[in-house]
Amino acid sequence: MRLLPDPGPARTLALSTLINTVGRGTWLTASALFLTRSVGLTVAQVGLGLTLTALVSLIASTPMGYLADRRGPRGIQLAALLASAACTAALVTVRSFPTFLLVGTLMAIADAANRGARGALIAGAVPAEQRVRTRAYLRAVTNVGISVGAVVAGVGLAADTRGAYVALILLDCATYLLAAAILLRLPVVPPVPAPTHGPRLVALRDRPFLAFTVLDGLMSMHFGLLNIALPLWIAEHTEAPHWLISACMLVNTVMVVLFQVRASRGTEELAGAGRAARRAGVVIAAACLLFAASGTVPGPAAVALLLAGSLVHVVGELWHSAAGWGISFGLAPADAQGQYQGAYGMGMQLGSMVAPAVVTTLAVGWGVPGWLVLGVFFLSVGALVPPVVRWAEGARVAQPVAA
């Protein structure tokens, strides 16, 4: 399948995302070593700083989405990309934990604005029936961009000098600027007037939508299975070779690039998206069973089970992502897409903050019983999404303006 969508707003968004995520991939790969080896921060300081800035981004998500609705999403996203470029360039001046925290906080606010504006921009520039498909394309090109960026960063990591790290940072800065320049090709999406009465941040008062956001955030902890728990599980609890960690990561990346768009079919409507979320819970639970079994068998069988588990897991990942897009777009009022997309993003951020402690405690600390608990957890969360979606639909019928 083609990586880029047909010419038009969706392709412009995809090209901008591809360029930007190449830079993001370089920073994600090199950030920990830059901050510890070049800046001189401790591992504990880096971890604390990333946690605090993630919390800032979570809190800012909905207000920044509201701003995108009121001021126009294209302008806010352009401003967010330019601000991100400036903050990224400022990283070369970081010499202490307080300055790292200051720059990181500003970057977190810009990132929150970028996410909320992007959701509103997709909703405003792309026909409703193509929104989920466009998000699927964006996720596919994101995986390509981050992979390319990781390869580029490897050159700088091999050099392991201050100059090499600065070069990677400036490359990331340049991708923000180029991504913003590409977005100028998009038509302006007009701002939506603020409501004349009632609360401004209606997404935070929409209980059915917030319930879905929490469920989606809990489901998103499955990303921690592959990125955090599985490498430790393979290294400490199985007889599989350590190179299999990279192989499982590669399986995930390739599958997302090849099949995310196809997996989004049928999730444009709320009912179909709800069913996809339920299916995601089932197959992620099955992946947990396969991962658990790999710790009880000899090396060759463990390799087969781990690769099979990675394939099954990524199918659930594809369905979970597509379901979230379909539901978040489908439940958002036309005049509040930005803040609803910002609120939807809070779930993913919450999941990413909680996942490291949960998945390492259960999967790595408890072993096979912990994997089984995780399987039941994901199965249950997925099963709860369809009734919550029906609750939200019913609330909109009864109170269509402010659910």
Side-chain angles (χ1 to χ4, degrees):
M1 297 181 67
R2 292 178 296 107
L3 180 62
L4 296 177
D6 294 329
R11 174 168 290 191
T12 300
L13 287 164
L15 285 171
S16 176
T17 299
L18 180 61
I19 295 298
N20 190 206
T21 50
V22 169
R24 181 182 170 193
T26 63
W27 171 244
L28 290 175
T29 305
S31 58
L33 288 181
F34 166 72
L35 292 170
T36 54
R37 298 176 67 85
S38 182
V39 176
L41 302 182
T42 66
V43 173
Q45 286 176 321
V46 172
L48 176 61
L50 293 177
T51 299
L52 292 175
T53 55
L55 182 60
V56 169
S57 184
L58 186 151
I59 294 171
S61 290
T62 304
M64 289 296 103
Y66 174 84
L67 184 64
D69 290 326
R70 301 288 85 84
R71 300 297 183 184
R74 194 189 77 153
I76 294 299
Q77 187 165 29
L78 288 171
L81 289 170
L82 295 177
S84 296
C87 291
T88 300
L91 286 169
V92 302
T93 68
V94 170
R95 298 289 183 180
S96 64
F97 179 70
T99 54
F100 165 57
L101 196 58
L102 173 62
V103 174
T105 298
L106 295 175
M107 289 184 71
I109 295 172
D111 184 58
N114 188 20
R115 285 196 311 275
R118 181 175 60 175
L121 191 57
I122 294 170
V126 177
E129 67 277 6
Q130 296 180 20
R131 291 170 183 169
V132 173
R133 184 176 177 85
T134 299
R135 287 296 296 261
Y137 272 117
L138 296 186
R139 184 159 191 260
V141 300
T142 292
N143 274 261
V144 173
I146 288 178
S147 299
V148 172
V151 172
V152 173
V155 178
L157 295 180
D160 194 27
T161 63
R162 170 77 181 178
Y165 290 123
V166 169
L168 293 177
I169 289 172
L170 295 179
L171 172 63
D172 187 17
C173 176
T175 64
Y176 279 113
L177 297 174
L178 184 54
I182 292 172
L183 279 185
L184 289 172
R185 295 162 51 186
L186 282 178
V188 174
V189 176
V192 181
T196 57
H197 62 279
R200 293 293 185 262
L201 298 179
V202 292
L204 298 182
R205 294 171 176 260
D206 189 336
R207 287 179 293 177
F209 186 82
L210 290 180
F212 157 70
T213 297
V214 170
L215 290 175
D216 189 77
L218 293 175
M219 181 68 82
S220 74
M221 288 198 299
H222 72 78
F223 290 105
L225 298 182
L226 190 71
N227 299 328
I228 302 169
L230 195 60
L232 295 173
W233 175 256
I234 291 173
E236 298 178 11
H237 295 274
T238 77
E239 297 181 11
H242 290 185
W243 57 258
L244 194 67
I245 296 171
S246 296
C248 291
M249 298 291 185
L250 182 62
V251 166
N252 181 271
T253 300
V254 172
M255 289 285 287
V256 170
V257 171
L258 294 179
F259 296 109
Q260 182 63 80
V261 175
R262 183 175 298 177
S264 69
R265 294 174 183 171
T267 60
E268 298 85 358
E269 302 294 332
L270 287 171
R275 290 191 295 269
R278 184 171 55 208
R279 292 197 303 270
V282 171
V283 296
I284 291 172
C288 290
L289 294 178
L290 292 169
F291 292 146
S294 68
T296 62
V297 296
V303 170
L305 287 169
L306 288 164
L307 288 175
S310 298
L311 283 169
V312 172
H313 172 269
V314 76
V315 172
E317 178 182 327
L318 296 173
W319 279 335
H320 164 238
S321 297
W325 302 327
I327 295 168
S328 63
F329 280 128
L331 293 181
D335 62 347
Q337 282 284 353
Q339 65 168 291
Y340 268 73
Q341 295 306 313
Y344 164 62
M346 290 171 60
M348 181 75 72
Q349 292 171 293
L350 180 63
S352 66
M353 292 174 65
V354 174
V358 173
V359 301
T360 53
T361 298
L362 292 177
V364 183
W366 291 13
V368 171
W371 281 110
L372 299 181
V373 170
L374 285 168
V376 172
F377 172 79
F378 289 119
L379 182 67
S380 302
V381 172
L384 288 172
V385 173
V388 167
V389 171
R390 290 193 294 270
W391 173 30
E393 286 187 285
R396 276 146 182 74
V397 171
Q399 196 175 1
V401 175

